């Protein structure tokens, strides 16, 4: 395959050294055509030299971008480039890459799947035990983290006038479930893979939450649920997350019924 | 001879309406009585699910609940269950499930433990239990291999099925320990396929119920499994992904999922039982804890502190709460008393103390029995409501 099928953008807020280390690792892999940083109003001495786009809006200065708005800013910048690649890898800067078999991933995908998103799995993900061939599988329920999006899906969403990630879901509550609903109802699919794998370095959130301008971990979890439920009620009129998950599961099942040839790739 | 079609038709009407059958741990005499009343009022089956430690046959010495033997317990239930709505469902019958150690504190041999399990099961069959859960999984903690445990299961199944009356029993199997996360679907399928193959080779039918992990785990007075969480947990798959897949596997084999350890699940998780279509779920310690809390509360409110002290000393000193504590637990003495109080309701000294308390507070216009029954009923009722027993 062409090594330069994919670009990568990392979200940073006030963690220049950590971000630059991750960028250097991505660059050294030689898998990416463009590698850059999306900055959420970092203070001047914490802006990465690899920064390609910044937001300094007052709300971003006060609260940061967080995952959904950060990813949206990255997508917006990426699609405005003259020749974006076929895929875009988005990563929070607390990602520590463990496995990077990018060529094998794209070889495995071939033309079989109408891919909207590929979710690299964390090293301890239980999905790894049940992934078909231990490599890739089709699923619908993935936790938030790094994600690869296909240009086809991004452009389809932009045609609808939608941002890929809901900016009103500030903390990203069930963000990938919300995304999966649009993926499967638009006849795309979502892939989980062990061919690219990572760890989330939680020490940044634990030790530097004041620098990143976020809340400490347990407060963050409380707010994720509280604000997330408010978002869920407002957007869908649902009172609990499992209702949304069930809706997505049914859309996924319908997709699988319509694509029986893909059944062997189903994660189960 | 039990009328099997009655059980099957009662149960199938529940399945038609997608009602989750509740299994209630008989933690006390009052809990047993309230369960019988509720089942008959609602005219839907509720299962009583005695473990061997709770209720055991006379020849093996009886259990800790009301010091009942299996014979006495079954008579007590059948005499009061006028509409025949109570399902008697033995929970976790297998080697070492009654006693792990002998009088010299040595682990009971495999041979003896299997022999005792068979004595217990034979009485259950003779007394027309509706469901027998065969669970030899404690052997895994005592050096038995997974294969050895599977062999024990087949031996017990074959023993029961070969006895007179054993062919009309509904069987439940599942040799898993409770886990914070549900079983991975394809791995659960592999495990059951192995059991199915072994049963087939012995000309034994598939069981009706299969115990699989749905992400429920009870510690202290909480459910700490993934089924009770409402935010994604790192390294855990969501029950909304796994449970529907597990249910599909059960459907493929023509068996039914039985959930264990559903205690203390939040209302939302209970609501999802019916919507997912979980056929049956067991709840036990929560009801005993509800009764104990109510007992302590009324003793406190009526300033009968002598009772709290006496009861508390007994519960704390006997240490039945130990197995329920989280590692590094911050549980207070009061928490421990609430966790394990119900183990001691039948201790002679405690029984007398409860009678004394009842009589003393009656003079202050409190009806202890009524208060305790109300708390038990409310606790059971929460499950019945969400499992679809009402309307």
């Amino acid at each position: 395959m062409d090594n330069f099928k994919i670009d990568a953008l990392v979200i940073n807020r006030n963690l220049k050294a950590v971000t630059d280390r991750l960028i250097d690792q991505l660059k050294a892999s030689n898998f990416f055509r463009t590698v850059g940083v999306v900055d959420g109003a970092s203070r001047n001495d914490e802006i990465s030299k690899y920064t390609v786009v910044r937001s300094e809006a007052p709300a971003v200065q006060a609260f940061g971008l967080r995952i959904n708005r950060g990813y949206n800013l990255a997508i917006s910048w990426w699609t405005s480039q003259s020749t974006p690649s076929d895929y875009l890898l988005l990563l929070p800067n607390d990602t520590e890459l463990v496995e990077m078999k990018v060529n094998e991933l794209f070889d495995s995908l071939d033309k079989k799947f109408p891919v909207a998103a590929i979710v690299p799995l964390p090293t301890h993900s239980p999905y790894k035990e049940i992934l078909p061939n231990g490599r890739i599988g089709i699923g619908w329920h993935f936790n938030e983290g790094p994600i690869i999006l296909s240009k086809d899906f991004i452009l389809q969403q932009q045609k609808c006038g939608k941002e890929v990630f809901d900016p009103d879901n500030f903390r990203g509550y069930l963000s990938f479930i919300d995304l999966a609903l649009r993926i499967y109802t638009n006849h795309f699919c979502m892939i989980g893979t062990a061919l690219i794998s990572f760890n989330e370095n939680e020490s940044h959130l634990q030790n530097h939450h004041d620098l990143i301008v976020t809340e400490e971990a347990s407060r963050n979890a409380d707010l994720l649920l509280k604000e997330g439920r408010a978002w869920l009620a407002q957007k869908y009129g649902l009172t609990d997350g499992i209702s949304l998950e069930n809706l997505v599961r049914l859309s996924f099942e319908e997709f699988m019924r319509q694509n029986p040839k893909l059944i062997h790739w189903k994660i189960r | 001879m039990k009328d099997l079609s009655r059980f099957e038709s009662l149960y199938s009407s529940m399945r038609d309406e997608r009602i989750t059958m509740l299994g209630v741990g008989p933690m006390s005499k009052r809990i047993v009585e309230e369960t019988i009343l509720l089942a008959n009022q609602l005219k839907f089956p509720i299962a009583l699910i005695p473990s061997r430690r709770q209720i055991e046959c006379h020849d093996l010495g009886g259990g800790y609940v009301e010091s009942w033997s299996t014979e006495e317990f079954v008579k007590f239930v059948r005499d009061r269950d006028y509409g025949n709505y109570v399902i008697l469902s033995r929970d976790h019958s297998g080697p070492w499930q009654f006693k792990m150690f002998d009088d010299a504190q040595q682990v009971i041999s495999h041979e003896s433990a299997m022999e005792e399990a068979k004595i217990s099961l034979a009485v259950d069959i003779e007394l027309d239990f509706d469901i027998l859960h065969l669970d030899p999984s404690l052997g895994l903690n005592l050096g038995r291999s997974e294969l050895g445990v599977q062999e024990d299961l087949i031996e017990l199944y074959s023993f029961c099925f070969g006895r007179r009356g054993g062919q009309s029993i509904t069987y439940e199997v599942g040799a898993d320990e409770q886990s914070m996360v549900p079983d991975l679907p394809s791995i659960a399928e592999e495990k059951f396929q192995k059991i199915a193959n072994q049963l087939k080779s012995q000309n034994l039918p598939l069981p009706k119920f299969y115990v699989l992990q749905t992400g429920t785990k009870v510690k202290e007075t909480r459910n700490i499994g993934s089924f009770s969480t409402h935010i994604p947990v790192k390294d855990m798959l969501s029950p909304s992904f796994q449970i529907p897949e597990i249910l599909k596997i059960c459907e493929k084999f023509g068996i039914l999922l039985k959930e264990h350890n559903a205690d203390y699940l939040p209302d939302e998780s209970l609501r999802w039982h019916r919507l997912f279509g979980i056929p049956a779920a067991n709840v036990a310690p929560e009801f005993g804890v509800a009764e104990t809390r109510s007992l302590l509360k009324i003793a406190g409110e009526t300033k009968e502190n002598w009772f709290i002290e006496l009861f508390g000393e007994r519960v704390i000193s006997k240490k039945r709460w130990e197995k329920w504590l989280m590692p590094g637990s911050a549980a207070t003495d009061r928490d421990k008393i609430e966790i394990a109080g119900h183990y001691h309701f039948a201790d002679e000294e405690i029984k007398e103390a409860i009678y004394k308390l009842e009589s003393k507070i009656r003079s202050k216009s409190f009806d202890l029995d009524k208060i305790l029954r109300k708390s038990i009923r409310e606790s059971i009722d929460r499950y019945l409501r969400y499992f679809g027993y009402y309307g």
Side-chain angles (χ1 to χ4, degrees):
Chain A
M1 70 151 250
D2 169 5
N3 270 358
F4 299 107
K5 215 171 188 171
I6 182 166
D7 300 320
L9 294 171
V10 176
I11 314 300
N12 176 44
R13 179 166 170 96
N14 287 335
L15 287 177
K16 177 177 182 286
V18 173
T19 305
D20 287 352
R21 258 201 313 276
L22 178 58
I23 292 285
D24 290 339
Q25 197 186 353
L26 291 166
K27 278 179 172 288
S29 73
N30 281 326
F31 288 123
F32 303 94
R33 180 162 56 185
T34 301
V35 177
V37 172
V38 174
D39 189 273
S42 293
R43 65 187 198 209
N44 287 341
D45 59 337
E46 289 292 346
I47 299 171
S48 163
K49 62 185 173 193
Y50 299 111
T51 299
V52 294
V53 60
R54 293 192 74 197
S55 173
E56 293 199 78
V60 178
Q61 286 185 21
F63 306 112
L65 279 167
R66 303 295 171 102
I67 194 162
N68 279 9
R69 292 177 188 179
Y71 282 179
N72 281 343
L73 181 60
I75 292 165
S76 168
W77 177 83
W78 185 70
T79 51
S80 71
Q81 302 307 295
S82 53
T83 52
S85 301
D86 293 337
Y87 293 92
L88 171 63
L89 169 62
L90 296 165
L91 311 96
N93 58 359
D94 59 1
T95 305
E96 292 181 345
L97 291 164
V98 176
E99 196 77 72
M100 280 283 280
K101 294 176 179 165
V102 176
N103 286 347
E104 286 184 48
L105 170 65
F106 287 113
D107 287 346
S108 302
L109 288 178
D110 199 5
K111 298 279 181 203
K112 290 185 282 283
F113 307 102
V115 175
I118 304 164
V119 181
L121 296 171
T123 47
H124 297 296
S125 169
Y127 273 138
K128 286 189 169 180
E129 283 185 60
I130 52 174
L131 219 48
N133 301 326
R135 299 161 70 88
I136 60 168
I138 306 177
W140 60 273
H141 197 298
F142 299 102
N143 288 353
E144 289 66 36
I147 188 167
I148 297 168
L149 294 169
S150 75
K151 188 166 67 182
D152 289 349
F153 178 68
I154 289 173
L155 294 179
Q156 192 265 359
Q157 288 293 292
Q158 287 185 336
K159 263 189 206 164
C160 299
K162 292 291 289 181
E163 290 189 278
V164 173
F165 297 93
D166 188 340
D168 293 332
N169 183 6
F170 181 62
R171 288 172 201 274
Y173 177 69
L174 300 180
S175 182
F176 283 12
I177 299 290
D178 185 37
L179 178 66
L181 182 61
R182 269 180 291 142
I183 287 175
Y184 283 107
T185 47
N186 281 302
H187 313 291
F188 283 94
C189 72
M190 203 168 188
I191 305 278
T193 185
L195 295 169
I196 301 180
S197 190
F198 70 94
N199 284 325
E200 179 191 353
N201 188 337
E202 290 175 338
S203 69
H204 302 311
L205 187 60
Q206 282 158 3
N207 303 330
H208 305 293
H209 63 86
D210 49 344
L211 186 64
I212 307 169
V213 197
T214 181
E215 297 77 16
E216 52 90 20
S218 66
R219 172 87 180 130
N220 208 28
D222 289 346
L223 289 170
L224 173 71
L225 187 60
K226 188 179 165 203
E227 294 177 11
R229 284 186 160 178
W231 163 80
L232 188 68
Q234 193 168 38
K235 182 166 184 176
Y236 292 103
L238 299 175
T239 55
D240 69 88
I242 291 185
S243 300
L244 178 63
E245 291 177 344
N246 207 35
L247 197 61
V248 178
R249 181 178 65 80
L250 295 171
S251 302
F252 169 75
E253 296 293 349
E254 189 53 35
F255 172 87
M256 293 309 297
R257 260 192 291 276
Q258 289 174 21
N259 294 276
K261 286 182 184 164
L262 299 180
I263 195 73
H264 299 299
W265 297 97
K266 182 180 167 185
I267 302 175
R268 58 179 290 279
Chain B
M1 183 78 177
K2 169 173 71 264
D3 180 3
L4 182 69
S5 63
R6 179 190 69 86
F7 167 70
E8 291 286 1
S9 74
L10 273 174
Y11 188 68
S12 78
S13 70
M14 291 183 85
R15 292 303 299 146
D16 291 346
E17 296 186 38
R18 221 175 154 100
I19 297 169
T20 301
M21 185 176 80
L22 176 65
V24 174
M27 321 308 286
S28 73
K29 185 179 170 190
R30 280 190 189 85
I31 290 171
V32 171
E33 288 171 332
E34 287 305 310
T35 303
I36 298 168
L37 282 172
L38 280 163
N40 280 277
Q41 277 170 12
L42 296 169
K43 299 195 185 330
F44 270 124
I46 301 176
L48 279 167
I49 51 162
S51 68
R52 291 184 56 204
R53 288 186 189 85
Q54 287 161 348
I55 307 283
E56 184 53 287
C57 65
H58 179 266
D59 286 353
L60 293 176
Y64 73 79
V65 177
E66 203 60 20
S67 306
W68 273 328
S69 65
T70 311
E71 293 87 340
E72 291 164 328
F73 168 73
V74 171
K75 184 171 184 330
F76 184 88
V77 174
R78 296 295 191 212
D79 284 352
R80 286 157 182 78
D81 179 23
Y82 54 86
N84 268 343
Y85 287 106
V86 174
I87 306 296
L88 286 179
S89 175
R90 171 64 75 186
D91 205 23
H92 298 286
S93 192
W96 299 289
Q97 295 282 6
F98 179 53
K99 276 186 195 162
M100 194 168 274
F101 303 101
D102 61 18
D103 293 341
Q105 289 306 300
Q106 298 295 308
V107 174
I108 293 172
S109 71
H110 172 251
E111 197 184 3
S112 303
M114 284 292 279
E115 200 48 47
E116 273 195 358
K118 286 177 187 174
I119 292 169
S120 175
L121 284 164
V123 174
D124 291 349
I125 294 168
E126 209 170 290
L127 292 170
D128 271 351
F129 264 66
D130 298 287
I131 302 171
L132 295 179
H133 173 211
L134 305 177
D135 177 12
S137 66
L138 280 183
L140 292 170
N141 303 337
L142 299 167
R144 296 280 294 161
S145 66
E146 211 160 292
L147 186 64
V149 167
Q150 273 185 27
E151 284 168 3
D152 291 346
L153 173 68
I154 302 300
E155 187 179 330
L156 292 175
Y157 203 140
S158 182
F159 169 81
C160 293
F161 201 73
R163 290 189 76 81
R164 191 169 160 215
Q167 294 183 17
S168 54
I169 301 259
T170 296
Y171 290 94
E172 172 182 344
V173 304
D176 297 286
E177 287 189 73
Q178 58 167 327
S179 161
M180 283 175 70
V181 290
D183 283 311
L184 293 168
S186 48
I187 292 172
E189 183 173 3
E190 252 174 61
K191 267 192 212 171
F192 189 76
Q193 185 65 63
K194 276 186 200 163
I195 293 172
N197 291 345
Q198 279 186 308
L199 289 172
K200 197 177 170 191
S201 72
Q202 302 288 318
N203 287 322
L204 292 167
L206 289 183
K208 179 125 188 153
F209 289 106
Y210 188 41
V211 182
L212 279 165
Q213 302 307 315
T214 54
T216 58
K217 184 180 173 81
V218 176
K219 278 285 167 196
E220 300 184 1
T221 53
R222 283 181 294 155
N223 202 306
I224 59 166
S226 60
F227 205 169
S228 63
T229 63
H230 294 290
I231 50 172
V233 181
K234 196 180 166 191
D235 300 339
M236 269 192 199
L237 298 181
S238 165
S240 61
F241 160 72
Q242 281 165 287
I243 293 172
E245 290 295 327
I246 284 172
L247 288 166
K248 275 186 221 159
I249 293 167
C250 290
E251 199 179 335
K252 181 179 150 188
F253 283 103
I255 55 174
L256 297 169
L257 170 67
K258 183 92 169 277
E259 178 185 70
H260 280 209
N261 313 303
D263 308 67
Y264 310 112
L265 285 174
D267 292 352
E268 277 175 11
S269 306
L270 294 187
R271 188 165 68 87
W272 279 98
H273 281 69
R274 198 176 177 199
L275 295 173
F276 280 139
I278 295 175
N282 285 357
V283 180
E286 179 177 341
F287 303 139
V289 168
E291 187 173 350
T292 302
R293 279 180 174 157
S294 184
L295 185 61
L296 293 170
K297 184 167 177 266
I298 192 64
E301 282 173 4
T302 53
K303 312 251 182 301
E304 301 292 344
N305 293 329
W306 63 270
F307 175 81
I308 298 172
E309 271 174 39
L310 186 148
F311 184 56
E313 270 172 29
R314 167 62 60 106
V315 177
I316 295 291
S317 67
K318 292 292 178 183
K319 300 193 173 182
R320 301 293 287 263
W321 39 268
E322 270 183 340
K323 75 164 184 170
W324 297 104
L325 294 192
M326 299 269 286
S329 169
T332 62
D333 278 357
R334 173 77 175 210
D335 295 331
K336 291 170 186 169
I337 298 164
E338 288 179 359
I339 290 167
H342 61 267
Y343 287 100
H344 304 282
F345 287 163
D347 295 2
E348 270 315 311
E349 191 188 2
I350 299 302
K351 254 184 162 174
E352 278 173 28
I354 293 173
Y355 285 136
K356 188 173 157 193
L357 175 70
E358 189 167 17
S359 127
K360 287 187 87 170
I361 68 172
R362 191 175 299 124
S363 62
K364 299 174 190 172
S365 302
F366 288 99
D367 183 338
L368 180 65
D369 186 59
K370 205 170 164 185
I371 290 165
L372 297 182
R373 284 178 192 282
K374 184 170 177 277
S375 64
I376 292 165
R377 188 170 269 252
E378 282 171 359
S379 185
I380 297 176
D381 219 45
R382 190 173 72 96
Y383 287 86
L384 298 176
R385 197 164 60 246
Y386 286 106
F387 284 1
Y389 279 73
Y390 293 110

